Amino acid sequence: MVPTSKAERKAALDVASWMFNVVTSVGIIMVNKALMATYGFSFATTLTGLHFATTTIITVVLRWLGYVQPSHLPVPELLKFAFFANLSIVGMNVSLMWNSVGFYQIAKLCMIPVSCFLEVLFDKVRYSRDTKLSIVVVLLGVAVCTVTDVSVNAKGLIAAVIAVWSTALQQYYVHFLQRKYSLGSFNLLGHTAPAQAASLLLLGPFIDYLLTTKKVYAFDYNVISVFFITLSCLIAIGTNLSQFICIGRFTAVSFQVLGHMKTILVLFLGFFLFGREGLNLQVVLGMILAVAGMIWYGNASSKQGGKERRTPTDKSHKNRSLSDSEQLDEKV
């Protein structure tokens, strides 16, 4: 059935955006897990650089074909975004290496309150009691099913703090830049992907060597490993695009809260594909609690007063600019 009203169309596009992000994100995690665990390609930073290089090629081709219109993003804004984005990638990799898995998961959960703080500070957003409580339920649910051993050390704590804040700032900046400069997801990717690809491919091999003591150039490349690397890069196009679409249509907080559905799906698929070790009643209850919290958050934040800005905006200008910039996103 084709949506007829404007509200139905928006709801259908919102659902499609989330499904696009969930499918591509879970898919790339499964492919990367096979690539790294099975074939020993542990060069995460360099692989991310390859992801953005592939995304850059696609945006260039689409711009050449006329599907992406020329747009402008000031160089200082681009440099700030690339700095936060690359610091997020490196910080998350270092945090995972220096911390226990349990503390790493706790650090990832901290991104939601940090993102809330940024929205309250910069966008003057106000959350209702139900919205706040639903976020707490999501955090508790994900913590119950993912946090196991927790050990903390000084350098691991510093890495985690840098990773959390840089990731929250990067995701907030995606929403901010799209709104301020009326950029669609492909437009913003067209500006940011080349900068990230160049910097990560330049620095990635050195960072990966420091993290793994292995050289990416000395890896034993074969047909199967190259196939998985190529597949990872192709899926990454959808992952990068869907992230920008979702944050642009919603906010960084909503992306983080509902994004934990990916964590639940990755756990479920991990148990299904790689064995049921670690699957117990606590994990199942945590999954159920997290999903219930996400449903509650979606309902609470969509109600009047659930989540609203306290600063006036020029709605006519905003709606017109968003309509222009989101046409290609809707086609995707």
Side-chain angles (χ1 to χ4, degrees):
M1 182 178 177
V2 179
T4 54
S5 69
K6 186 175 181 180
E8 289 177 344
R9 177 178 171 80
K10 182 182 182 304
L13 289 170
D14 289 347
V15 172
S17 300
W18 279 118
M19 290 304 299
F20 184 26
N21 181 253
V22 168
V23 170
T24 55
S25 297
V26 173
I28 200 170
I29 289 172
M30 293 292 107
V31 170
N32 288 350
K33 186 172 183 177
L35 177 63
M36 295 181 180
T38 306
Y39 300 102
F41 190 87
S42 54
F43 311 102
T45 309
T46 303
L47 181 61
T48 307
L50 292 173
H51 290 169
F52 282 108
T54 310
T55 304
T56 299
I57 294 172
I58 294 299
T59 58
V60 170
V61 171
L62 289 175
R63 184 178 289 114
W64 179 68
L65 293 174
Y67 288 105
V68 179
Q69 300 303 316
S71 57
H72 173 69
L73 180 65
V75 174
E77 300 278 32
L78 174 61
L79 293 177
K80 282 190 288 186
F81 179 90
F83 174 76
F84 290 135
N86 290 347
L87 189 62
S88 166
I89 293 166
V90 176
M92 293 302 291
N93 291 336
V94 173
S95 176
L96 181 59
M97 183 185 72
W98 285 350
N99 292 307
S100 65
V101 175
F103 187 74
Y104 173 78
Q105 290 293 344
I106 290 176
K108 287 181 66 177
L109 293 176
C110 289
M111 291 178 192
I112 293 179
V114 171
S115 296
C116 289
F117 172 76
L118 293 176
E119 288 191 358
V120 170
L121 180 65
F122 295 118
D123 293 342
K124 310 302 180 185
V125 171
R126 181 173 56 193
Y127 298 93
S128 68
R129 185 187 64 177
D130 282 356
T131 303
K132 294 175 185 175
L133 289 175
S134 65
I135 292 175
V136 172
V137 171
V138 172
L139 293 175
L140 286 175
V142 176
V144 166
C145 62
T146 60
V147 177
T148 51
D149 59 311
V150 179
S151 58
V152 186
N153 58 77
K155 64 179 184 179
L157 178 61
I158 294 173
V161 170
I162 292 174
V164 167
W165 278 94
S166 59
T167 302
L169 283 166
Q170 181 260 342
Q171 293 183 354
Y172 172 82
Y173 222 47
V174 169
H175 187 79
F176 170 79
L177 291 176
Q178 288 195 41
R179 288 303 186 263
K180 182 175 181 180
Y181 297 101
S182 301
L183 296 173
S185 301
F186 265 120
N187 293 113
L188 186 56
L189 268 178
H191 291 291
T192 60
Q196 287 189 258
S199 55
L200 289 174
L201 288 177
L202 181 64
L203 300 175
F206 299 100
I207 295 172
D208 288 332
Y209 179 75
L210 292 175
L211 296 177
T212 65
T213 66
K214 298 177 182 179
K215 297 179 180 179
V216 65
Y217 307 109
F219 180 74
D220 182 22
Y221 294 93
N222 54 53
V223 175
I224 298 178
S225 62
V226 171
F227 168 77
F228 274 100
I229 291 171
T230 304
L231 181 60
S232 178
C233 289
L234 292 175
I235 298 175
I237 298 170
T239 306
N240 292 331
L241 176 61
S242 63
Q243 181 192 36
F244 281 27
I245 290 176
C246 286
I247 297 177
R249 292 186 69 85
F250 309 102
T251 63
V253 172
S254 295
F255 180 76
Q256 282 286 341
V257 173
L258 300 180
H260 278 297
M261 176 62 74
K262 293 176 287 188
T263 304
I264 304 301
L265 285 175
V266 168
L267 281 174
F268 177 78
L269 289 176
F271 293 134
F272 180 75
L273 297 175
F274 302 103
R276 297 184 179 181
E277 182 180 354
L279 180 62
N280 51 48
L281 182 60
Q282 175 183 326
V283 173
V284 173
L285 290 176
M287 290 180 176
I288 295 173
L289 186 62
V291 172
M294 293 171 201
I295 295 173
W296 187 12
Y297 173 83
N299 182 55
S301 61
S302 62
K303 290 182 178 178
Q304 185 176 3
K307 181 181 178 182
E308 58 185 10
R309 283 179 170 80
R310 286 173 287 181
T311 53
T313 57
D314 185 351
K315 293 185 179 180
S316 61
H317 172 73
K318 180 178 179 180
N319 290 338
R320 184 173 61 253
S321 62
L322 290 183
S323 176
D324 294 339
S325 65
E326 289 178 354
Q327 285 181 358
L328 181 59
D329 295 347
E330 292 182 357
K331 291 179 182 178
V332 172

